[in-house]
Amino acid sequence: MSEMITVTLPDGSQKQTARGTTIGDFVREGIGAGLAKAALFARANGQDMDMSRPLTEDVKLQIFTSKSPEGLDLIRHDAAHVVASAVQRLFPGTQVTIGPSTEEGFYYDFFREKPFTPEDLEKIEAEANALLKKDEAFVRTEISMEDAVRLFEQKGETFKVEIVKDIAAKGAKTLTLYTHGDWVDFCLGPHAPSTGKIGVIKILSSSGAYWRGDHRNPMLQRIYGTAFFDKKALQEYVTRIEESKKRDHRKLGKELDLFHFHPYAPGAAFWTPKGTALYQTLSDWMRGLTAGDGYVEIKTPLMFNKGLWETSGHWGKYKENMFLVLDNETGEHDFSLKPMNCPSHHLYFGFKRHSYRDLPLRLHTQDVLHRNEAAGSLGGLTRVRQFAQDDAHIYCMESQITDEVRRFVKLLDRVYKAVGLTYAVKLSTRPEQRLGDDSLWDRAEGGLKTALESLGLAYELAPGDGAFYGPKIDFTVSDSIGRRWQLGTMQLDYLAPQRFDLNYIGEDNAEHRPVVLHRAIFGSFERFTAILIEHFAGAFPAWLAPIQAVLVTVADRQLDYARKVRDDLRAKGYRVEVDERGMTLNAKIREAQIQKVPFTLVVGDAEVEAGGVAPRRYGGEDLKSMKLADFEAVLAKEGALP
Ligand SMILES: [Zn+2]
Ligand SMILES: [Zn+2]
């Protein structure tokens, strides 16, 4: 009888199997035929492996199917092999180089004189999808480096030969090959059992790229593609890409006249009156919410001497990201624009002697911040150098952490719900390198977990992903077209109170260190505004819209009345305009739709006589003529901050 080994499954259950059984056979016999059929690859003691690999020792085993993001990543890598084989079949003489996975698919670089035409890409896509139907097995073999060099030399693959020689020079003795049909490539794997596991391949685009990214090297032809398990998922992806282009905040920013950039101030926005109204509404909203939730708002200096950054540790680690300012008296660049508010809040905390009765102290600040991002990485409102955050720091006792986390999550939930963003929660725990002993981390992580669990929030655990000074909770939102953005964060910090020597007097009359919680809900106003522009496609709800209502008259004789209505509504705090341009009524109504104004108020003789307006909603719904007071009631309801 052969020797048995123990396989531990993710649910903790254990099974015995004969040493040498392949993972595929083990799953079929030990778990079930359904999972064996659906399995794409396995993770055995942390290492990703083909289903055809044998189990040789006691192992923790996890199986991945099309249900997991890892499964999708895998078939995209599979697809890169299939596309390369299709290209070589269609265009003999084309050499292959490398084909890594990307976040949304893969690319593959080919050596060929002529760039691929759009027609070529269509042919390649058709050929690759035809190859999937053959459902060829991915076969793994290992060969010696000498054999590998010979193999690729025979095939005339000079780039592959170069890579194999590089790998050999680094000391590798063998190379892993993967073959499907008669096409072979080397890679670390793993691969799905066969090409048929890939549902559909889509070729996205092509471009030129230099071999190894060096312009002195030959020019290669890069093909970008992606793959999905089924056509429906591909169609959703294509729709999302098209929809993202339409919603691009840079494009809508121009069309809706919200902001500008100028080369004289890279990464810093000029906000138009409409853009400013949008920004200011978000700012006022957050001020009101935080004030109502027990925060106090403070302002701190924008520029600080390096002494502050030395205390906080930024001078050593973060200096390249700060804008340094010359001090004429010392002749040194020993001042800096602040890149974040935290250190100035810590200084502020230290101005007074605090008792436990003052805690928690919640400091909110929306000051302007500067970070010296590389000029090449700047773009739109999502990559900027000048921005503001809905930043706050909570100084509290350790025993208050759970309550503060709960309070914060409730506020965040209210904000995201109001704008229709759903969110997922991730808890990052102690990393290898960390400050403080295990009991401190037990308490910190326990406090966060208790808070999340008491709120009934599902969360993903990211062991080891916390900062060295404390665990954190990250909130990733999904927008209206399913794109994900990392937004809110709450970070526990045990280090800053030490560095800044922050204390409070406890009930026992002795000095204690508070804990600091860094937290933000919008993150930066600039980026959040960009996300909201794209999320709403520029059609903001009435409370957020830069212009809430625009009055359009049937004839000029109603203009005086329209102006009076505008002034009345403005006096009540609403954002209202009159379109006084000499255009037809229909053209003005159309223009208001293009500008995505929530309410277009039509005024004719009948409205003037009745003291009313005839509102239409963005999108076309006609609310019919009504008294001005009745429209005001609508606006009061929908225009109020949520
Ligand atoms: Zn591969
Ligand atoms: Zn902070």
Side-chain angles (χ1 to χ4, degrees), residues 331-351:
E332 299 281 340
H333 285 84
D334 48 13
F335 274 80
S336 145
L337 297 176
K338 69 178 172 188
M340 70 257 311
N341 295 303
C342 342
S344 66
H345 280 180
H346 305 333
L347 284 188
Y348 180 87
F349 183 91
F351 284 146

Side-chain angles (χ1 to χ4, degrees), residues 49-82:
M49 287 188 178
D50 301 324
M51 295 303 292
S52 60
R53 298 292 292 285
L55 293 166
T56 55
E57 58 187 350
D58 287 350
V59 70
K60 270 194 179 157
L61 193 70
Q62 191 181 358
I63 304 297
F64 293 90
T65 67
S66 63
K67 299 278 183 286
S68 65
E70 290 90 347
L72 188 60
D73 285 346
L74 182 90
I75 61 153
R76 286 170 173 177
H77 172 73
D78 293 336
H81 283 236
V82 173

Side-chain angles (χ1 to χ4, degrees), residues 74 77-78 80-81 99 138 176-178 183 185-191:
L74 182 90
H77 172 73
D78 293 336
H81 283 236
F138 282 105
T176 319
L177 300 182
Y178 279 89
W183 194 83
D185 199 351
F186 61 85
C187 82
L188 292 170
H191 277 277

Side-chain angles (χ1 to χ4, degrees), residues 205-244:
S205 60
S206 67
S207 69
Y210 292 103
W211 169 234
R212 297 193 154 165
D214 188 330
H215 66 94
R216 289 163 300 192
N217 286 340
M219 171 69 97
L220 306 173
Q221 306 303 331
R222 175 171 297 178
I223 290 180
Y224 289 94
T226 188
F228 289 91
F229 286 107
D230 56 60
K231 291 211 169 91
K232 187 167 160 271
L234 169 63
Q235 193 46 51
E236 282 167 9
Y237 171 77
V238 170
T239 309
R240 197 167 76 229
I241 297 289
E242 282 163 7
E243 194 55 38
S244 306

